[in-house]
Amino acid sequence: MTCAENKRTWSRILQSEGATSVLVVLLGFFCATVLVLCVGRNPLGIYKALLQVVTGFNVNSGRWNIRYVGEWLTYSVPFVLCGLSMAFAGRAGLFNIGGEGQYIVGMTAAQLVALLFPPVPGLHIVVAIGAALLAGAIWGGVVGFLKARFEVSEVVATIMLNYSALYLSRIITTAIPGTNTFRTPNYPETANLAVGFLTKLTNNSMLNAGFFLMIIAVAVYWFMLEKTNMGFGLRATGFNKDAARASGIPVVASIVIAMAVSGAYAGLGGGVVALGSFRYGRVIAGMDNYGFTGIAVALVGNNTAIGTLLAGLLFGMLQAAQPLMQSNQIPREITFIIQGLVVVFISLKAGVQLFLAWNEKRLARKRASDAQGGAR
C-alpha cells in the first residue's frame, strides 16, 4: 500500500463517527496523563483506579472485589438514560438542555408515589417508575408543544424549566409529612428497586433493577428510531423539516413526540436514582447534573443507542473511580478534567472532519493533475 493510499485510508477512518469518538476519548486520557506528569504524580494511578472499577481487581493489594463493578454500573445507569434523553431529541433535530429538569420531575414523582401510594408488592414500584416516566414526558412534551406550535426555542424553554423543576420539587417534597430540610421518611420496602441476587452477586453494591430498565431503554431507543415509521418520521424531521413536511410527515406531532419521549428517558433516570440509590426521598438543594452530563454522553455516543450506552459506561466509570483516584495519590478532579477534555475534543469533531474532507479533495485534485501531466 502506497503512502497516499495510507493517508486516504486513515482519512476515511477518522471521518467515521465511531472512530472519532474513540479518538477523542483517547486524547482526553492522553492529556490527563500529561497533566498528572506535570504536577509530579504517577499517571499509573489513574489507570490502576480505572482497572479496579471495571474489574474489581486492586493492583496494589492484589485483592479482588466485584463490588466496585456493581458500583460502576450503578453510577452509569442515570448517565446512559439522560444521554438517551438528549440523543433522542437530537435525532429529531432538537437540542434538549432540559434533561436535568426532566430528571428532577421524574425523581420527585417517583418519591411522591413511593411515599403516598399504598404499599402493594409489585404494583407499588411499577406505579412509581411509571409516574417518573409520565412526569418527565409531560415536562418535555410541554417544550415540544411550544416549539412546534409557537416556534419557541427549545434551548431557552428547557433552560428555564430546569430551575422551575428544581424549586417546584423542593416545594412539593417539603410538604410531605415528616420531611425535614434535606430528607423525607424512609420508603416502604415495596418501593425499592433493590434486587436480592444482584446485591449478593456484586458483594452488597447498590446495583439494582434500574440496570435492567436501562438495558430495556437502550433497546427501545434503537427499535423506535431504526425500525418504526414513527422513528423514520422523527429522523426525517431532524434532517430537514421542510422536506419532511412536503413528504407528508406530521412535523408538529414529531417534535412534540420527540421531546416527550426525550423527557421520559430523563424522568426514568430520576426515578431510578430516587428508588435505587436512596431509601428515602431527598429535598434537593441543587441539581445532580446527570441531565447536563447527559448532553456530553449523547455527543460522545453520536446519538446512537450503542454509542450512548458505551459513553454512559465511560462517564460512570470516571465517576466511580473518583475515590479510588485519591487512594492512588491522584486528585479526584482529574476525572472532571478528562470529561471536559472529551467534550472539547468531540465539539471539534466537525472541524476535524471538514479538514479531512478538504484534504481528501486536495489529494484528488493533485492525483488528477499528476495524471494529466503524465498523459502529456
Side-chain angles (χ1 to χ4, degrees):
M1 184 178 289
T2 66
C3 181
E5 289 172 337
N6 277 325
K7 287 182 179 179
R8 288 195 297 273
T9 300
W10 278 105
S11 177
R12 286 193 292 270
I13 291 173
L14 291 174
Q15 282 181 311
S16 69
E17 297 287 343
T20 304
S21 294
V22 172
L23 178 61
V24 299
V25 170
L26 293 177
L27 282 173
F29 279 101
F30 173 76
C31 292
T33 301
V34 173
L35 181 61
V36 170
L37 282 171
C38 290
V39 298
R41 302 292 177 86
N42 187 352
L44 283 177
I46 298 175
Y47 302 102
K48 287 179 182 179
L50 296 177
L51 178 66
Q52 190 171 352
V53 166
V54 298
T55 67
F57 181 71
N58 187 330
V59 175
N60 296 326
S61 66
R63 296 178 180 176
W64 180 76
N65 188 346
I66 198 172
R67 185 175 189 275
Y68 293 106
V69 179
E71 297 297 340
W72 163 42
L73 297 176
T74 303
Y75 277 118
S76 299
V77 169
F79 284 128
V80 173
L81 292 174
C82 290
L84 291 173
S85 172
M86 172 63 189
F88 197 93
R91 295 291 290 272
L94 303 168
F95 201 77
N96 180 19
I97 302 184
E100 188 67 24
Q102 295 146 18
Y103 164 91
I104 290 173
V105 296
M107 178 194 73
T108 306
Q111 291 179 168
L112 284 174
V113 173
L115 291 165
L116 303 178
F117 192 83
V120 181
L123 180 63
H124 195 182
I125 191 67
V126 170
V127 174
I129 290 297
L133 282 164
L134 181 61
I138 292 173
W139 207 253
V142 167
V143 175
F145 174 77
L146 294 174
K147 170 73 174 180
R149 184 69 178 82
F150 302 106
E151 291 294 327
V152 174
S153 169
E154 75 275 15
V155 174
V156 175
T158 50
I159 289 174
M160 299 303 291
L161 284 175
N162 283 338
Y163 294 96
S164 300
L166 172 63
Y167 296 113
L168 183 62
S169 174
R170 288 180 57 82
I171 292 169
I172 292 174
T173 308
T174 52
I176 298 173
T179 301
N180 57 31
T181 56
F182 66 94
R183 60 164 290 176
T184 70
N186 287 342
Y187 304 138
E189 286 300 315
T190 52
N192 195 331
L193 279 172
V195 179
F197 84 89
L198 284 179
T199 304
K200 292 179 181 178
L201 183 64
T202 57
N203 195 18
N204 294 317
S205 78
M206 294 294 292
L207 188 62
N208 54 70
F211 175 74
F212 300 116
L213 293 175
M214 177 195 74
I215 298 299
I216 294 171
V218 171
V220 169
Y221 177 98
W222 172 82
F223 182 79
M224 191 181 299
L225 281 176
E226 305 296 339
K227 300 297 180 180
T228 66
N229 290 332
M230 182 187 72
F232 175 79
L234 293 173
R235 288 185 285 117
T237 301
F239 281 124
N240 190 313
K241 291 184 178 63
D242 294 329
R245 187 180 289 108
S247 300
I249 295 172
V251 172
V252 171
S254 293
I255 291 174
V256 175
I257 291 171
M259 285 302 300
V261 175
S262 177
Y265 274 117
L268 177 60
V272 167
V273 171
L275 305 178
S277 299
F278 295 90
R279 299 294 179 264
Y280 54 84
R282 291 182 298 151
V283 182
I284 53 175
M287 298 182 182
D288 287 346
N289 290 323
Y290 284 117
F292 294 126
T293 308
I295 298 173
V297 171
L299 290 174
V300 175
N302 297 310
N303 292 345
T304 64
I306 298 301
T308 303
L309 172 63
L310 295 176
L313 290 172
L314 169 67
F315 279 73
M317 177 183 66
L318 292 172
Q319 182 81 8
Q322 287 182 8
L324 299 176
M325 294 278 187
Q326 291 181 311
S327 66
N328 284 281
Q329 308 304 313
I330 302 293
R332 62 185 295 172
E333 288 77 15
I334 198 69
T335 60
F336 298 116
I337 293 174
I338 294 173
Q339 290 178 10
L341 289 171
V342 168
V343 173
V344 169
F345 290 138
I346 205 73
S347 67
L348 295 174
K349 177 179 65 176
V352 172
Q353 290 179 339
L354 285 173
F355 170 77
L356 292 172
W358 170 82
N359 188 55
E360 184 68 25
K361 291 178 180 178
R362 182 182 65 83
L363 291 174
R365 287 196 297 268
K366 186 175 182 303
R367 289 194 299 271
S369 176
D370 292 343
Q372 289 176 355
R376 294 193 188 98

